[in-house]
Each structure stands twice: as structure tokens, then as C-alpha cells.
Amino acid sequence: MDSKNILLICGGGGTEHEISLTSAAFIQESLNKISSIRPYYVEISKDGSRVNDKGEQVELRKGGFLYNHQTEELITLHFAIPCFHGPPGETGEIQSVFEMMKLPYLGSGPEASMLCFNKVSTKLWLDAACIPNTPFCFIKDLEEISKASEFLDKEKEVFVKASSQGSSIGCFKVVNEAELKEAVTKALKLSPYVLIEKSIKGRELEVSVFEHNGKVVTSHPGEILCPENDFYSYEEKYSDKSHTDTVMKAEGLSSELLEEIQAISIKAFSLFKLSHLSRVDFFLSENKEIYLNEINTFPGMTPISMFPKMMESGGVSFSEFLESIIKNNVRS
Ligand SMILES: Nc1ncnc2c1ncn2[C@@H]1O[C@H](COP(=O)(O)OP(=O)(O)O)[C@@H](O)[C@H]1O
Ligand SMILES: [Mg+2]
């Protein structure tokens, strides 16, 4: 293969900006191990400007070119990696831009990204396809809060979630009316819709689902072990003081359960027409019921993230995976 120019674009200025930069550093390391490619790093900074790794202003141009305002160099791009958690990547916007540029890219298309990032649309689709997920209702504004109150009355403990956020931002555990109102008010400031979901007591499992040698494969489930009475909040995910442990191979799952998790993961990958990679998260209730919690179309790749580790514990290194996706999709 002639040397190919690979755009690694990250940041985005959203609530998960910093996490995106950490994931991008991991991807950059993996790109460095691949021969015949030249990575071009671009960060969409919080003020909306685009800068490269030298702090120079750059611009993506129609047709899939990268223009450097300082050096006046115009690079033809052959493949793009939209390394974003949240907008404008997991939400599908940048993929629409790449589609218009006819620039191939890593990960799911605009529609799949948008459907999976919005927690309400994900659940409506899961229900329609009979994929088990937690009971829920959703509201569009505070005027509908009585719907949420009725749901809380019935379930006693619920999770309130801003529809279009990740990393547990805008996600609250709620047990009474006062907490409900406060949580819904906060969540509505972050997203146009709010999901209210039955709280599940049990285990939290995650699976890497990815394309390998032309097939969709799943890793063995990993497990998140949060302290008692806590959940996998932003602090538990990213703070040095986190008390949460992660396990690459969840123990004690029967072969029937493993098969069920694998079948649901693959069904969801195919239902949403995902591409290349995803992490599918589950709850396993105390009475062994499995519920799909969410689908991440661009899973975290920070040092504590499960996605690349679960892939690797199944024998596929992330750089090997990335290399094969690039080689099979790069434009000439
Ligand atoms: N229905 C639920 N029952 C129990 N725990 C939940 C439920 N929903 C969310 N959680 C907890 O909150 C965390 C964040 O929720 P999640 O839906 O995964 O949002 P995010 O996209 O921000 O990761 C989960 O990892 C889990 O610890
Ligand atoms: Mg989650």
C-alpha cells in the first residue's frame, strides 16, 4: 500500500472533550505502530477552532482535504478517525460531513450514531426489535413531570438521564419526588428529552463488539464492580479516587447466559447497522434477567477503558484491528 494520510480528529468542545483527547492519544499510539500511513492529528478546540499537534490552524476542505493555514500545505486525506465521545462524533454530525466529502472513516454512519447516542431513540428501537431493556418512560419538558412521578411511584427507585449525554453526565439515581424534580430539571438543561428508567439491582457487564476478518465478533463480557449503593458515575469512571474495579473477564456466567449476551450484542449491531466497532453494555439482574443498557458507537479508549482491553483479551490487538479496518476501507 502506498503511504496513506489518516486524519485523527478529536475534542469537539462538548462535556466529554477531555476524554476524547485521552482516547485520541491511545489511537495515535496505535497508529504509530502501523506501517505505510501518515497520521494527521486535528483537535476541534473548545472555541471551535481546528488546530494540529503544533498548534497551527487547519481546516477540513470539500473533497476530503486538510489545509494548513500556516504552511499553506493542502493534504489529500484517505481515511478519517472521528475520535469523539458525544458531539460532533457519536452524534453523527461529522460522519455526515465525511459522507459528503466521500472520505471513508472509522465507525458507524450518521444515522446509527445518532440513534444510539440518543438514549430514548435507542430504547424505542430496542423495544421494537424485542431486545430486552429496562422499563422506562421519557418526557420532553417539566410540564410532563407527572408521568415521571407515576413511574417513580411504581418502581420506587429510578435512574433519570439526559437523553443525549455520555460518561454519566446528566445521570442521577432518584428515590423520591424532590430528587426527581431536581434531577429532571438538571437533565433538561443538558438534553432535549429525559429518560426515566427502572433501577436494576445486579451486575453491570460490557462487551466489545467489532468487525474482524469480515465477521462481527464479540468479546467475553467484562464487568464493572461499583461500590455498594453507588453507580458508575463520572467520578467513578475517571477520577483518581474512584473505588470502582473493572474486570476483563466477568466470572460465573453460565454458557446459556454468555450465548444470550453474544446473540443480543450481534442482533443490536445488525439492527442499528453499526460499523467496525462498538461497546454494548448490559445489566444482569439478581434473578438473572439480562437487559441491554446502551450501545456506544465510539467507546472510550482511555487507560481505564474496557473496549480495547476486552478486544485484546480475546486475542486481537487494537492496532491490528485498526490496521485491517484502515487497509480495507482507505480510499485511493
Ligand atoms: N437502570 C439502571 N439501573 C441500575 N444502574 C443504572 C441504570 N441506568 C444507569 N445506571 C448506572 O449509571 C451508569 C451510567 O448510565 P448509562 O446509561 O450507562 O449512561 P452513560 O451513557 O452516561 O454511560 C451506568 O453505568 C450504571 O452504573
Ligand atoms: Mg454507560
Side-chain angles (χ1 to χ4, degrees), residues 119 161 168 197-198 200 204 231-232 237 293-294:
K119 294 180 187 304
K161 302 179 190 177
S168 302
E197 216 179 287
K198 176 182 178 164
I200 303 294
E204 224 179 313
F231 70 97
Y232 206 24
K237 282 177 181 172
N293 173 35
E294 61 163 340

Side-chain angles (χ1 to χ4, degrees), residues 201-216:
K201 297 227 179 325
R203 299 172 68 179
E204 224 179 313
L205 306 172
E206 301 191 342
V207 181
S208 293
V209 189
F210 55 98
E211 290 178 51
H212 187 56
N213 296 334
K215 268 178 65 186
V216 178

Side-chain angles (χ1 to χ4, degrees), residues 231-248:
F231 70 97
Y232 206 24
S233 61
Y234 187 91
E235 291 69 35
E236 285 301 313
K237 282 177 181 172
Y238 304 113
S239 146
D240 295 342
K241 297 187 190 86
S242 169
H243 301 291
T244 297
D245 282 329
T246 51
V247 176
M248 281 325 117

